Amino acid sequence: MSLLAMPMLVVNMGAEMMFILEQRLKAQSISADKSGKVLNDVAGTMFNKAWIEQLFTPQAVHSVAAVRKIFDRLAHSSIMRLSETSMDKLFDL
């Protein structure tokens, strides 16, 4: 597999995660201010300059467990907290 596949994997799955988070925040009637903060925090972490530079360094694709840990940290980079069950469901989607 390509040594440059990780950026595509993380950016694609990260965008999907943000879409799902936004839908769940709306469904739970979370205020626009709090929803915006959550999504901005997650996007800010996902597109942090240092993180992007590290991500675009040629590397082998990480294991599923390592990728899940990346998304667990992304999801929890905001004021929002997910239970382990919710995080499992989010990652499985």
Side-chain angles (χ1 to χ4, degrees):
M1 182 159 289
S2 171
L3 294 178
L4 296 174
M6 272 308 290
M8 294 306 297
L9 176 70
V10 170
V11 170
N12 183 39
M13 288 180 69
E16 288 181 33
M17 179 184 76
M18 290 190 60
F19 174 77
I20 292 165
L21 288 175
E22 192 241 348
Q23 295 300 309
R24 295 306 311 146
L25 290 165
K26 274 187 185 176
Q28 294 177 11
S29 301
I30 304 299
S31 73
D33 289 342
K34 284 186 181 179
S35 294
K37 175 143 179 52
V38 167
L39 295 172
N40 282 331
D41 288 349
V42 172
T45 300
M46 193 164 76
F47 294 108
N48 173 283
K49 185 177 181 344
W51 164 243
I52 290 293
E53 287 173 357
Q54 179 184 359
L55 183 63
F56 276 86
T57 301
Q59 58 190 302
V61 175
H62 298 348
S63 68
V64 172
V67 173
R68 176 151 179 354
K69 191 171 186 177
I70 290 168
F71 285 97
D72 186 54
R73 288 184 176 165
L74 276 175
H76 290 102
S77 66
S78 71
I79 59 173
M80 176 187 68
R81 293 294 169 250
L82 295 173
S83 68
E84 190 166 336
T85 303
S86 294
M87 189 61 209
D88 289 343
K89 289 179 184 177
L90 178 64
F91 188 76
D92 289 342
L93 291 174

